[in-house]
Amino acid sequence: MNKVTRRQILGSLGVSASVGLFSGCDGTLEASNEPEPKKIPTWRYVRLEPKAVASEAYRIMPKGGCMYGLVGSIIDALALVVGEPYRTFPVEMMKYGAGGVGGCGSLCGTLNGGAAMIGLLVADSKRRNNLITELFAWYESSELPVFRPQNAAKDEEMPKTVAGSVLCHISVGRWCKESGSDVMSPEMHERCSRLTADVTAKTVELLNRNLDPACTFTGLSAETKSCVSCHGQRELRDSMGTMNCGACHKLPKKHP
Amino acid sequence: MNKVTRRQILGSLGVSASVGLFSGCDGTLEASNEPEPKKIPTWRYVRLEPKAVASEAYRIMPKGGCMYGLVGSIIDALALVVGEPYRTFPVEMMKYGAGGVGGCGSLCGTLNGGAAMIGLLVADSKRRNNLITELFAWYESSELPVFRPQNAAKDEEMPKTVAGSVLCHISVGRWCKESGSDVMSPEMHERCSRLTADVTAKTVELLNRNLDPACTFTGLSAETKSCVSCHGQRELRDSMGTMNCGACHKLPKKHP
């Protein structure tokens, strides 16, 4: 293995030597394919109880948003049982996902968080995508929220809607239209807290199921499967993705 | 501070005692607002050189996708200078963002990765959203990709397009239509590798600028600003988000 200087590696990554962090370094480093070898911690998953983790997600969601609520509740539960590396996972970073990432209304933060946890805990790419696909298809087609908090003051019924889309902009928009609430109302925030609990429970259910190597996942809805069977990765290959097509597209009259 | 048993806390989070991980534990724990106190590592940002980190993002993108490429290149650069906690950050988890998260075509993985890094490194919520807003607005309106790799075999010109949207489905679709490539072609993959480099450079540029407490950010495009000034959080409050409206909506003829 060749010896290369730390300065050479830093130079290739554009790190300025002026940061002055190298006193005491002997200036040499083992070269490898990656810039520097890393310790690989074990992100071991143990079975959790979906309803209980969902309640915790509901509780902490107002502190940092939907993505933070989902990720924080699952990481905290695993930190209690497994300890490190979960205890020092930077949960706070997940505040970025609120309101469909920085408030822009793109991917719902609960789904971004659920997919991030699946990314952390499921190494096999095919299986990882299977879990994400079931989570997203379930979200698009389910009447939500169904979670009811135990807090007496908030334990009232709430309108439920089928989002029809994984996008925050559409999901929030449909619920607000149905409920007559505006997008900044306390009612909308309560709806998104409950939704965070629901998506947390579903994510934990999927991670539990995935502990069985022979488990199966439901896949895309029949409608989306029909569209992507031609437009997806096989025939026409002219469309990227598996989001519910009907959220934005209508079939033209002369569609084959 | 009250003493509560570990079993009580685990029970509230739905962790099954049957996992049998508690031999040697004395069964007591300090109670706090959070389930268990955490060590808070310091995620300190130091100035990086955008072009050099972008080249690294381009190099590693094929190993794990667009979100992984962006996050991996920034984390690796900071791991070299700062060391921990960057060296043990679970970069592999970011493979979940490829193809707009699990291949579903929602938020472009480069933007999800850029926003995640901003989430990790910028604690103030207003400032964090300012960085994300500029990153997303720049992506929506810029002719990309502009990065050209130094590898001679791939150093050819490439069609550039304005995505007009932060969504992978639209961004990839427009580039494929313009270039005549299909969504699974090597050309599309090369385009997304170069795009990963571009968004990495822009993210690093924003993080560098943010080191100056008096810096400013450009904000939304004039078009989006005009739409959300009525539909957003102030007047009508009937629309969640700041994505480019024109990607999906046309102004009705009788719009005020």
Side-chain angles (χ1 to χ4, degrees):
Chain A
M1 205 175 263
N2 294 324
K3 287 262 183 178
V4 296
T5 66
R6 177 178 281 263
R7 184 174 297 269
Q8 282 172 326
I9 291 175
L10 292 174
S12 77
L13 273 168
V15 176
S16 162
S18 68
V19 292
L21 284 166
F22 308 113
S23 58
C25 172
D26 72 355
T28 62
L29 217 97
E30 297 292 322
S32 69
N33 283 340
E34 293 305 317
E36 194 164 295
K38 286 181 187 170
K39 287 180 282 179
I40 309 288
T42 305
W43 299 91
R44 187 167 58 86
Y45 181 73
V46 296
R47 186 177 300 275
L48 302 173
E49 210 289 293
K51 283 187 182 175
V53 185
S55 289
E56 178 66 5
Y58 174 81
R59 186 185 75 82
I60 67 172
M61 185 281 195
K63 298 181 184 183
C66 40
M67 187 180 195
Y68 169 86
L70 184 144
V71 170
S73 63
I74 293 177
I75 291 287
D76 279 351
L78 291 169
L80 278 170
V81 186
V82 181
E84 290 295 1
Y86 295 101
R87 288 191 65 205
T88 48
F89 183 91
V91 170
E92 299 289 317
M93 74 178 283
M94 299 301 176
K95 292 178 177 175
Y96 87 89
V101 180
C104 93
S106 69
L107 180 62
C108 169
T110 66
L111 294 178
N112 207 3
M117 286 299 89
I118 292 166
L120 183 70
L121 299 164
V122 182
D124 179 77
S125 64
K126 192 173 174 188
R127 211 159 167 110
R128 188 169 63 227
N129 284 354
N130 282 344
L131 270 80
I132 293 173
T133 298
E134 178 165 335
L135 179 67
F136 283 29
W138 164 84
Y139 177 102
E140 285 178 329
S141 61
S142 300
E143 285 212 317
L144 297 172
V146 295
F147 177 87
R148 290 183 70 176
Q150 290 189 312
N151 178 333
K154 289 184 173 174
D155 186 22
E156 69 273 16
E157 277 289 350
M158 170 168 276
K160 298 175 181 60
T161 46
V162 176
S165 169
V166 296
L167 301 180
C168 168
H169 174 73
I170 296 176
S171 176
V172 166
R174 289 200 176 170
W175 188 85
C176 287
K177 196 171 177 184
E178 172 70 22
S179 67
S181 306
D182 78 50
V183 298
M184 298 307 293
S185 62
E187 290 77 15
M188 195 285 277
H189 283 104
E190 176 63 16
R191 175 261 184 185
C192 288
S193 291
R194 295 187 185 195
L195 190 64
T196 302
D198 288 332
V199 181
T200 301
K202 181 70 183 177
T203 302
V204 170
E205 179 211 312
L206 287 166
L207 290 167
N208 287 346
R209 197 193 312 161
N210 186 55
L211 289 170
D212 173 7
C215 71
T216 56
F217 298 96
T218 58
L220 297 173
S221 71
E223 294 77 15
T224 307
K225 199 180 283 179
S226 168
C227 296
V228 300
S229 67
C230 291
H231 291 281
Q233 302 183 3
R234 293 190 192 158
E235 282 185 40
L236 297 169
R237 294 156 64 107
D238 62 352
S239 173
M240 176 72 204
T242 56
M243 294 187 288
N244 172 30
C245 308
C248 298
H249 301 286
K250 285 184 182 171
L251 273 184
K253 282 182 183 168
K254 291 191 175 179
H255 190 268
Chain B
M1 204 176 266
N2 294 325
K3 288 260 182 179
V4 296
T5 67
R6 177 178 281 263
R7 184 176 297 268
Q8 282 172 326
I9 290 173
L10 292 174
S12 79
L13 272 167
V15 176
S16 163
S18 67
V19 295
L21 284 165
F22 308 114
S23 58
C25 173
D26 73 354
T28 62
L29 221 101
E30 295 294 321
S32 70
N33 283 338
E34 293 306 315
E36 194 163 296
K38 287 179 186 173
K39 287 181 280 180
I40 309 289
T42 305
W43 300 91
R44 188 166 58 85
Y45 181 72
V46 295
R47 187 177 299 277
L48 302 174
E49 210 290 290
K51 283 188 182 174
V53 185
S55 289
E56 178 66 3
Y58 174 81
R59 186 184 75 80
I60 67 171
M61 184 279 195
K63 298 181 184 183
C66 40
M67 187 179 194
Y68 169 87
L70 184 144
V71 170
S73 63
I74 294 176
I75 291 286
D76 278 352
L78 292 169
L80 279 168
V81 186
V82 182
E84 290 294 4
Y86 295 101
R87 288 190 64 206
T88 47
F89 183 91
V91 170
E92 300 289 316
M93 74 177 282
M94 298 300 177
K95 292 178 177 175
Y96 87 88
V101 180
C104 93
S106 71
L107 181 61
C108 170
T110 67
L111 294 178
N112 207 2
M117 287 298 89
I118 291 165
L120 183 70
L121 299 163
V122 183
D124 179 76
S125 65
K126 192 172 174 188
R127 210 158 170 115
R128 188 169 64 228
N129 284 354
N130 283 343
L131 269 80
I132 293 173
T133 298
E134 177 166 335
L135 180 67
F136 283 28
W138 163 85
Y139 177 102
E140 286 178 329
S141 61
S142 300
E143 285 213 318
L144 299 172
V146 295
F147 177 86
R148 290 184 70 177
Q150 290 190 311
N151 178 331
K154 289 185 171 172
D155 187 22
E156 69 271 17
E157 276 288 352
M158 170 169 275
K160 297 176 182 60
T161 46
V162 177
S165 168
V166 297
L167 301 180
C168 168
H169 174 73
I170 296 176
S171 175
V172 165
R174 289 202 175 167
W175 188 87
C176 287
K177 197 171 179 186
E178 172 70 22
S179 68
S181 306
D182 77 51
V183 297
M184 297 307 292
S185 62
E187 290 78 13
M188 194 286 274
H189 282 103
E190 176 64 17
R191 175 261 184 186
C192 288
S193 290
R194 295 187 185 195
L195 189 65
T196 302
D198 288 332
V199 181
T200 301
K202 181 70 183 177
T203 303
V204 170
E205 179 211 313
L206 288 166
L207 291 168
N208 287 346
R209 197 192 314 159
N210 186 56
L211 288 170
D212 173 6
C215 71
T216 56
F217 299 95
T218 57
L220 297 173
S221 71
E223 294 77 14
T224 307
K225 199 180 284 179
S226 168
C227 296
V228 299
S229 68
C230 291
H231 291 280
Q233 302 183 2
R234 292 191 194 158
E235 281 186 42
L236 296 170
R237 295 155 64 108
D238 62 351
S239 173
M240 175 72 204
T242 56
M243 295 188 288
N244 172 30
C245 309
C248 298
H249 300 285
K250 284 183 181 170
L251 272 185
K253 282 180 184 169
K254 292 191 175 177
H255 191 268

